[in-house]
Structures are given as structure tokens and as C-alpha cells.
Amino acid sequence: MRDRMRFCVPCLFGVEGLVAQELREMELEEVQAENGRVLFSGGWEAMVRANLNSRFGERVLLLLGEFPARSFEELFQGVKALPWEELLGREDQFPVTGSSLSSQLHSVPDCQAIVKKAIVERLKAKYRLSWFPETGSLHRVRFRILKDQVSVMVDTSGEGLHKRGYRAQSNEAPIKETLAASLCQLSRLRSDGHLIDPFCGSGTLLVEGALLALRIAPGLQRSFTAQAWENVPQSLWRQERDRARAQERRETGFSAQGFDIDPAAVELTLENARKAGVEEYISASVRDIRAFSQEGRYGCVICNPPYGERLLDVRQAQQLYQSMGSLFRPQRGWSFGIITPDPEFEALFGRKADKRRKLYNGMIQCQYYQYFRGEEKGRDAAPTAPR
């Protein structure tokens, strides 16, 4: 492949700015944020670095090409024109998946077949073979057709980047690791801060907060599809893992506390903290939210309180929000972040948020309500992000 390529990082709507900023901090080039994705340029080294270090992105895709297509013939010719032989060997696997939105070519199965056929025809001409066994390394091809504009990509990550490797199990309503990390960043969690989650569940917010505060790369404990690609040197993976470990800062004074009414959730939190290698920074215990108290001069509360879809569950959730409003008191040095899909949250909580942001928890549209103004002179008490 070429020394300089274009890559794409799909992400949750609402966190594109966070992804763009983290890619720039990785010293990656030509970073460009778009709706639902962020682009950057570089060689294989840049791809490896993004996979290992991205906290907020969903995966890293090699962007092979983009072109307009309003007919199957245009789609076929556009895909066939791409340099597939530079990436795919004679035996490599190349399954095709994709999506289409607001486009003339709206049948995804038909588009999949056309894309597959175009790749095969290109490889037939280059390798002078009539068929391909596809028993080698995996190169999952993804296409996106949006308003008749085709993007053709190859997945370098494999499992989504939210799969950090520490959460084999979770409670019934887990928050995605990438979203949890985003909430910690939006709350400007300090590297020496004190993080509290009074509804800790499986501990995802606490673990992601620790990884962020301690500068531990989230991808160190997992593997990636591109590790098996012949044209990506293994030395790059070793080099970038060493680079990531050298940036860790474990002596920061950071601590995190989790509480939950379910003893099994508390045990799961502690187990996941151990698997992530941050157990010494995280404590968890059984406690009802009504026993919450603001102890100490500083605290950063981030939580994903339970909510339900049945009427009774909704009523219980709303009563919970009212309790939180009386327990989470404005105080200098303390900040509170609550993510919920309930549009009546502020009225139930009893105060308008100092800041709110639309985010998605899976397919559920939510708001992230942030409270950080203390009683003293109404000044912003939100701590700064780790450096």
C-alpha cells in the first residue's frame, strides 16, 4: 500500500469533537470531523496508534476510495478501479457489508453483491486466477452510500474499539465503554480527581475514568484484525504498544468510588477493575442513592441512573431524579454529570443544567446534564482535563 493513506473513525453522534481532538493529540495528520465519523491521514503506524489509543472512536477503517454512484454500473466500476491487489493477497478473506441512506441504490444486499463482484474481477485480472479460496487473513470490506456518495473502507479493528478486553460480563443495562470515556472527558475529569458513580453497575464509568486519568491506552489488552495483515509490520505494533505504555502516569492521586444497591453489581465492578489493571484506584460497596453524601472538598460525580420503559419503571425513575436533585448539592469543587433519555429530567431534578449535550446510549437518544457551578459566586467549579 501507499505510504500515506486516509483512515476513517466512525463514532457516536455527539462525540466527533472528542475523537478529532484525541487524534490530534496522537500527532495524526489532516484530522477532519464529519457527522458520525472523523478522518485522518498517515501510514500503517498512524493506523496502529489510533487503534491502540482511541477512547471515543468505534473502530478504525482504511478509506480506500470515495466516488458518486447512482447506478449499479457506476458502483461496480468505482469499486473495481480501487487498488485491491495492494491490500488483498491471493488467499485473503474479504467479506462485504454496508449501508445505504438517502440514495438511488437503496438495496443493501444488491450493493453487497456488486461490490464483491467488482473486487473479484479486479483481483482476477491482477492475479490471473478464476476463483479465490478466502482462507487467509480477514479484510472485512465496508461500504457506505450516503446521498449517492459511496465510501469504500476496510476494517482494521475487528471487534469495535469499545471492546477493551476487561468486561467479559456486564449488568443488564451497561453503558458502552466509548460513551463512558466520553462522559468522563466531557466532565473534565482530573488526573488527580475523585470520581464517584452512585449507580456503578458493572463499573464501566469507573474503569474508563481510571484509564483516562492514568493515561492508560484502552487497546493494550486486546488484539486487532490488522495484526494478521502481511503488509503491516509486526514491529509497528510492538513500537506503538511501548510508546503507549511510556505515556502512562499511575502516580497521580486519582481515586474512584462506586456504589450500587445490588451486591452482584459491586462484585462485578471490582472484578472488571481487576481485569483492567486499575483495581488499586477503585473501591465499590453496596449503598442506596439515598445514603449519598458529599465528602471531601472535591468530587466528580458521573452516572447513568436506571430508567425504564414501563409506566411503573418510569415513575420510579422520576422519583429517583427528585431524590438526586436534593442530594447533589451545588458546591464549589464538585461537579455532577447525569445521562438520561427523560426529557423532564431538569424539572424533576429541580435545577436547570449548567450545560447539556445530546448523546446516544446505543440507539436511545439521551441528554448529558452537567452541573458544575458552586454556590460561591456561582463560579465554574468544573476541574480541568488531565494533561
Side-chain angles (χ1 to χ4, degrees):
M1 290 294 290
R2 299 176 293 270
D3 291 337
R4 190 173 187 79
M5 295 164 278
R6 197 70 168 148
F7 296 93
C8 167
V9 182
C11 56
L12 297 170
F13 286 104
V15 303
E16 296 91 343
L18 298 185
V19 174
Q21 182 60 30
E22 71 172 353
L23 294 176
R24 292 188 183 101
E25 290 176 355
M26 293 179 210
E27 300 179 353
L28 303 184
E29 299 177 350
E30 296 180 308
V31 175
Q32 177 185 344
E34 299 179 351
N35 284 337
R37 68 177 191 172
V38 180
L39 306 175
F40 69 93
S41 298
W44 291 128
E45 179 181 343
M47 178 274 292
V48 173
R49 184 173 301 175
N51 268 306
L52 288 171
N53 292 280
S54 180
R55 301 183 192 281
F56 318 121
E58 295 302 310
R59 58 182 67 245
V60 180
L61 306 175
L62 169 61
L63 182 59
L64 275 186
E66 293 186 301
F67 53 87
R70 296 176 179 83
S71 68
F72 288 135
E73 180 63 20
E74 288 179 328
L75 178 62
F76 179 86
Q77 294 299 337
V79 174
K80 187 179 177 182
L82 299 175
W84 293 102
E85 69 281 358
E86 294 182 9
L87 182 66
L88 300 175
R90 297 167 184 261
E91 298 180 353
D92 288 341
Q93 304 174 59
F94 51 99
V96 177
T97 57
S99 63
S100 178
L101 183 65
S102 304
S103 300
Q104 293 290 317
L105 300 176
H106 53 80
S107 172
V108 172
D110 287 341
C111 291
Q112 284 179 275
I114 293 294
V115 170
K116 183 78 174 185
K117 181 180 179 182
I119 299 171
V120 169
E121 291 302 314
R122 171 86 182 200
L123 295 180
K124 277 183 178 180
K126 296 296 180 178
Y127 288 130
R128 302 189 184 282
L129 295 173
S130 60
W131 72 284
F132 298 88
E134 295 197 51
T135 56
S137 59
L138 177 63
H139 295 69
R140 189 176 298 281
V141 179
R142 297 176 180 267
F143 66 86
R144 184 187 78 160
I145 309 177
L146 178 62
K147 297 180 179 179
D148 299 321
Q149 185 74 11
V150 181
S151 299
V152 182
M153 301 154 287
V154 181
D155 189 357
T156 73
S157 301
E159 288 193 301
L161 295 183
H162 69 281
K163 297 282 189 179
R164 317 292 208 204
Y166 66 79
R167 198 174 77 172
Q169 299 180 0
S170 64
N171 61 332
E172 291 183 359
I175 190 170
K176 208 171 187 180
E177 292 89 335
T178 45
L179 178 57
S182 298
L183 298 184
C184 291
Q185 181 73 0
L186 290 171
S187 288
R188 299 183 180 182
L189 179 65
R190 291 170 54 121
S191 58
D192 61 348
H194 180 51
L195 172 62
I196 304 166
D197 181 0
F199 309 98
C200 64
S202 57
T204 307
L205 277 162
L206 301 174
V207 172
E208 291 299 323
L211 295 178
L212 173 66
L214 305 174
R215 294 185 179 181
I216 299 174
L220 285 176
Q221 295 191 34
R222 56 162 288 175
S223 60
F224 304 89
T225 295
Q227 285 181 243
W229 293 3
E230 291 186 2
N231 46 2
V232 181
Q234 289 299 310
S235 60
L236 287 182
W237 295 97
R238 293 191 294 270
Q239 168 190 309
E240 289 301 319
R241 288 180 187 276
D242 289 343
R243 178 182 181 276
R245 291 190 181 99
Q247 294 182 345
E248 293 181 9
R249 298 292 183 269
R250 291 181 175 264
E251 303 299 326
T252 66
F254 173 81
S255 65
Q257 279 183 295
F259 306 105
D260 204 287
I261 59 173
D262 183 1
V266 170
E267 289 300 316
L268 189 54
T269 290
L270 296 174
E271 175 65 11
N272 287 340
R274 184 189 65 78
K275 289 178 179 177
V278 293
E279 68 271 26
E280 65 183 285
Y281 305 94
I282 295 175
S283 64
S285 58
V286 177
R287 182 185 295 183
D288 190 282
I289 183 62
R290 288 170 293 189
F292 177 85
S293 62
Q294 292 173 222
E295 301 171 359
R297 293 180 59 191
Y298 305 103
C300 179
V301 177
I302 305 175
C303 60
N304 174 34
Y307 51 85
E309 297 179 355
R310 296 193 306 271
L311 182 59
L312 181 61
D313 292 336
V314 171
R315 286 175 178 169
Q316 290 174 334
Q318 291 178 339
Q319 291 172 355
L320 188 62
Y321 301 152
Q322 291 173 332
S323 297
M324 291 164 61
S326 62
L327 292 166
F328 295 174
R329 303 187 314 276
Q331 182 177 325
R332 187 171 179 81
W334 281 76
S335 65
F336 305 90
I338 305 103
I339 185 168
T340 174
D342 194 328
E344 302 300 320
F345 173 79
E346 286 174 309
L348 294 162
F349 190 77
R351 296 193 302 279
K352 289 189 69 67
D354 298 316
K355 191 173 185 179
R356 54 188 287 182
R357 189 182 190 117
K358 183 168 71 174
L359 296 170
Y360 281 83
N361 188 359
M363 298 300 293
I364 303 173
Q365 181 177 312
C366 299
Q367 291 281 346
Y368 188 46
Y369 298 94
Q370 293 179 258
Y371 297 87
F372 45 76
R373 298 192 187 280
E375 291 181 325
E376 291 184 36
K377 301 180 183 179
R379 294 181 60 83
D380 187 337
T384 56
R387 298 296 179 193

